[in-house]
Amino acid sequence: MSGAQPIHAELIAVIVAVSDGAPKVLTLSDGSALPAGPLESGHQSLQAGLRNWVERQTGHTLGHVEQLYTFADPDRSRAGRSISISYLGLTRETRTKLGGQVSWQDWYRYFPWEDRRAPATGIDLTIKPGLARWVDEAADRQSRAVRCFALDGAPWNEDLTLSRYELLYEAGLVREAARDGRPVHGDFAPGIAMTADHRRILATAISRLRATIKYRPVVFELLPDQFTLLDLQHCIEALAGHTLHKGNFRRLIEGQTLLEETGTLASGPGRPAKLFRFSAAIRAERAQAGTRLPLARP
Amino acid sequence: MSGAQPIHAELIAVIVAVSDGAPKVLTLSDGSALPAGPLESGHQSLQAGLRNWVERQTGHTLGHVEQLYTFADPDRSRAGRSISISYLGLTRETRTKLGGQVSWQDWYRYFPWEDRRAPATGIDLTIKPGLARWVDEAADRQSRAVRCFALDGAPWNEDLTLSRYELLYEAGLVREAARDGRPVHGDFAPGIAMTADHRRILATAISRLRATIKYRPVVFELLPDQFTLLDLQHCIEALAGHTLHKGNFRRLIEGQTLLEETGTLASGPGRPAKLFRFSAAIRAERAQAGTRLPLARP
DNA sequence: ATCCTTATACTCGAATTGAGTATATTTATG
DNA sequence: CATAAATATACTCAATTCGAGTATAAGGAT
């Protein structure tokens, strides 16, 4: 087999925190790029390399870290091919000073259509006409658009963030598509663009995280040590992009051994809520255990 | 940032087929290695590179292809670091001639404890004593072992194939651990070893495939054009490693729009069964749609 | 004392699930 | 040819889960 070639490898990180009821992502260049850096020689493993590098650059300790996807750049210069390995990392947003153009951004700035917590945002109205034009051009597009955007009465599936972004890209309804020279089909969907394929990587991270929280208790990496059941619910709703039924949520959580009471109460308006922490077993296993959250769809 | 270095990239493929009621994986060296090859310059994308290379080498057309994981070799020679990108590919086992040491192997030869279709194989009896010794050495090991191997009355979770292999490796209960100089804790678990980390990659593939078949109709890449409901059930049981309730399986499958009748009947002993094929919509979307199979665990 | 706000508890019917039994239609066998 | 064996298909039923709602408790603010 011939054609093996030297290659340049880079790590791209999607660092996620939740604060003020919004999921945030750590960005460079005033929100237009994800943090990235070359794979360095000293690193034991890719994951260790990423942790080390993020902690040095941002001062944030990463809790859960998960590999997302590896991309190869097809048409880079003769100088050598480039491979990007992307990661999702969870942390708590601390008020540490951030360097010049480093900032936390609400991830729904990039994907407004993914936030369905408040009803009737009218976002679909912006997207649907362009989508309709694209669908009419070929026969096999209909069912894909229907499934991704729940066009008929079908239920919205929050895990399809990546599929939806890819569809909008193919349909020429995001700026990146126009930038890459693809045909457009109308006004761009709302939401701001990013460098290269960074918005696609962010969509991958959202899809993955939304899928992960359903069966593994990774949310605890995003919450403070103590929290109320409503805090937990709001955190999950922020990530999932839709609201949950309070009573059913509590029933499911309390039916498991996920949490334990701290014995203290939260203050604030209204009746004080019990404070909880994740149970010792869960903390020891660092999110290895299984969980059930009321997000699975029939 | 310094330390960027040229890197060698290689693709490793886990090619899976199901025949004679057993999940098979394509191997080299009489079953001790997975097919692997360097990333070549002509390839558009990693996935295209893999398809191209597998089809040229084996004559098998890959249906569903899914990226598994990217590893970096930490302690390779000064000559340059190596990155391995592993993929899962599904195909049908055809009777094409295979080269010298290329062969299809039942994947349960490598993971006998993962096949729970026949009850009481006694495999657990071989593993449990060593596991018990390992658990006793540190406090936080108990719950992990319990969860992975369903030690108390907990239900067996078939998706944990990778976690179980990793635990056995850490516990020094597989040959690869001894080979890598780790302490052993008793007799090795049954199952044959592979080169380097290939058995770990195979475990990753099994975990991923077992998780995937629950919500995406990828099985259709493994079955012939027409098949009976029992064929479909047996295929899924082979992959999942446990049996399903026939009536409930049929109820769930027929309650969806997954299949359509061909109008013909299968022959053989007993009452002839209706032949089905996957519905046109499913085939068109090439496994993009959602499905439900009776495998999800409470 | 009353209102507002949030927490917590409980209810109830619909839907799903797990496990079982009964019947139909073919091939093999004496 | 009658019967057994094997397989397919259909139906039943109770337990559990789920979605959505109502009711009550406990704090602060006015």
Side-chain angles (χ1 to χ4, degrees):
Chain A
M1 221 165 301
S2 73
Q5 55 181 156
I7 278 174
H8 173 78
E10 131 191 278
L11 300 176
I12 301 186
V14 181
I15 312 296
V16 172
V18 173
S19 58
D20 311 319
K24 307 280 178 70
V25 58
L26 194 63
T27 62
L28 307 181
S29 309
D30 290 319
S32 65
L34 294 170
L39 176 63
E40 299 179 30
S41 29
H43 294 141
Q44 264 289 91
S45 68
L46 293 175
Q47 187 153 325
L50 181 93
R51 276 183 192 278
N52 188 289
W53 163 68
V54 168
E55 287 169 18
R56 213 175 44 214
Q57 295 285 310
T58 70
H60 280 83
T61 304
L62 295 182
H64 175 75
V65 170
E66 182 171 352
Q67 193 180 90
L68 290 174
Y69 206 79
T70 301
F71 310 87
D73 191 336
D75 32 57
R76 198 68 85 80
S77 70
R78 311 299 109 209
R81 197 165 194 172
S82 175
I83 286 189
S84 302
I85 307 162
S86 56
Y87 276 87
L88 166 67
L90 304 185
T91 190
R92 295 178 189 116
E93 178 182 355
T94 55
R95 307 292 171 181
T96 53
K97 78 285 155 238
L98 295 174
Q101 297 184 299
V102 182
S103 59
W104 288 103
Q105 300 286 342
D106 185 331
W107 79 26
Y108 294 120
R109 287 189 64 207
Y110 306 98
F111 306 99
W113 59 87
E114 294 292 337
D115 188 1
R116 305 178 78 82
R117 287 174 294 176
T121 49
I123 285 166
D124 293 348
L125 298 180
T126 327
I127 293 175
K128 276 178 185 165
L131 220 47
R133 265 188 297 280
W134 176 77
V135 161
D136 288 344
E137 284 183 11
D140 60 332
R141 293 178 175 176
Q142 175 77 28
S143 65
R144 216 176 128 209
V146 164
R147 193 178 80 95
C148 283
F149 288 93
L151 293 185
D152 49 9
W156 179 266
N157 183 343
E158 75 269 3
D159 291 1
L160 299 180
T161 304
L162 176 60
S163 301
R164 280 187 286 267
Y165 176 76
E166 287 181 336
L167 193 150
L168 291 177
Y169 181 89
E170 283 181 54
L173 294 170
V174 292
R175 272 180 208 290
E176 287 92 333
R179 179 202 65 195
D180 299 345
R182 300 179 60 89
V184 299
H185 285 80
D187 292 340
F188 293 127
I192 64 180
M194 298 184 92
T195 313
D197 55 354
H198 286 198
R199 188 149 61 143
R200 187 179 186 284
I201 294 173
L202 180 53
T204 308
I206 296 173
S207 273
R208 185 72 69 82
L209 184 51
R210 285 180 169 183
T212 304
I213 54 174
K214 280 174 206 159
Y215 60 96
R216 288 179 58 191
V218 294
V219 261
F220 100 92
E221 307 285 1
L222 298 166
L223 285 166
D225 290 340
Q226 299 192 9
F227 49 86
T228 68
L229 288 178
L230 196 59
D231 290 337
L232 177 61
Q233 183 179 344
H234 283 333
C235 180
I236 290 167
E237 288 176 340
L239 298 173
H242 62 80
T243 56
L244 298 169
H245 184 284
K246 197 169 170 178
N248 296 343
F249 179 81
R250 298 171 64 97
R251 178 174 60 191
L252 193 59
I253 297 294
E254 296 190 289
Q256 301 172 76
T257 57
L258 190 65
L259 303 182
E260 59 191 26
E261 294 183 25
T262 66
T264 49
L265 297 174
S267 64
R271 174 174 171 180
K274 287 180 191 162
L275 283 170
F276 291 84
R277 69 167 72 88
F278 285 87
S279 63
I282 297 288
R283 278 174 290 149
E285 297 187 42
R286 299 296 288 177
Q288 292 232 14
T291 325
R292 297 167 61 223
L293 291 174
L295 289 164
R297 283 300 160 72
Chain B
M1 218 165 302
S2 72
Q5 54 180 156
I7 278 174
H8 175 78
E10 132 191 277
L11 300 176
I12 301 186
V14 181
I15 312 297
V16 172
V18 173
S19 57
D20 310 319
K24 307 281 179 71
V25 57
L26 194 63
T27 62
L28 308 181
S29 310
D30 289 321
S32 65
L34 294 170
L39 176 63
E40 300 179 29
S41 30
H43 295 142
Q44 265 289 89
S45 68
L46 293 175
Q47 189 155 322
L50 181 92
R51 276 182 192 279
N52 187 289
W53 163 68
V54 168
E55 288 171 16
R56 215 176 41 215
Q57 295 285 310
T58 70
H60 280 83
T61 305
L62 295 182
H64 176 75
V65 169
E66 182 170 353
Q67 193 180 89
L68 289 174
Y69 206 79
T70 301
F71 311 87
D73 190 336
D75 32 55
R76 198 66 84 83
S77 70
R78 311 299 110 208
R81 199 167 195 173
S82 176
I83 286 188
S84 301
I85 306 163
S86 55
Y87 277 86
L88 166 66
L90 304 185
T91 189
R92 295 178 190 117
E93 177 182 354
T94 54
R95 307 291 172 181
T96 54
K97 78 282 156 241
L98 296 173
Q101 297 185 300
V102 181
S103 59
W104 288 103
Q105 300 286 340
D106 185 331
W107 79 27
Y108 293 120
R109 286 189 65 206
Y110 306 97
F111 305 100
W113 60 87
E114 295 292 337
D115 188 2
R116 304 176 78 83
R117 286 175 294 176
T121 49
I123 284 165
D124 294 349
L125 298 179
T126 327
I127 294 175
K128 276 176 184 165
L131 220 47
R133 267 190 296 279
W134 177 76
V135 162
D136 288 343
E137 284 182 11
D140 60 331
R141 292 177 175 177
Q142 176 78 26
S143 65
R144 212 175 130 212
V146 164
R147 193 178 79 94
C148 282
F149 288 93
L151 292 185
D152 50 8
W156 179 267
N157 183 343
E158 75 270 4
D159 291 1
L160 299 180
T161 304
L162 177 59
S163 300
R164 280 187 286 267
Y165 176 75
E166 287 180 337
L167 193 149
L168 291 177
Y169 181 91
E170 282 182 55
L173 294 170
V174 293
R175 271 179 209 290
E176 287 92 333
R179 178 202 65 195
D180 299 346
R182 299 180 61 91
V184 298
H185 285 80
D187 291 339
F188 294 127
I192 64 180
M194 297 182 91
T195 313
D197 55 354
H198 287 198
R199 189 151 59 146
R200 188 179 185 284
I201 293 173
L202 180 53
T204 309
I206 296 173
S207 274
R208 185 72 70 81
L209 184 52
R210 284 180 170 183
T212 303
I213 54 173
K214 281 173 205 159
Y215 60 97
R216 289 179 59 191
V218 293
V219 260
F220 100 91
E221 307 285 1
L222 299 166
L223 285 166
D225 290 340
Q226 300 192 9
F227 48 86
T228 67
L229 288 177
L230 195 60
D231 290 338
L232 175 62
Q233 182 178 345
H234 284 332
C235 180
I236 290 168
E237 287 176 339
L239 298 173
H242 62 79
T243 55
L244 298 168
H245 184 285
K246 197 168 170 180
N248 296 341
F249 179 81
R250 299 171 64 96
R251 178 174 60 194
L252 192 61
I253 296 294
E254 297 190 291
Q256 300 173 75
T257 57
L258 189 66
L259 303 183
E260 59 191 25
E261 294 184 25
T262 65
T264 48
L265 297 174
S267 64
R271 176 174 168 177
K274 287 180 191 161
L275 283 170
F276 291 83
R277 69 168 71 90
F278 284 87
S279 65
I282 297 288
R283 278 173 291 150
E285 297 187 40
R286 297 298 286 178
Q288 291 231 15
T291 323
R292 296 167 62 225
L293 292 173
L295 290 164
R297 282 300 160 74

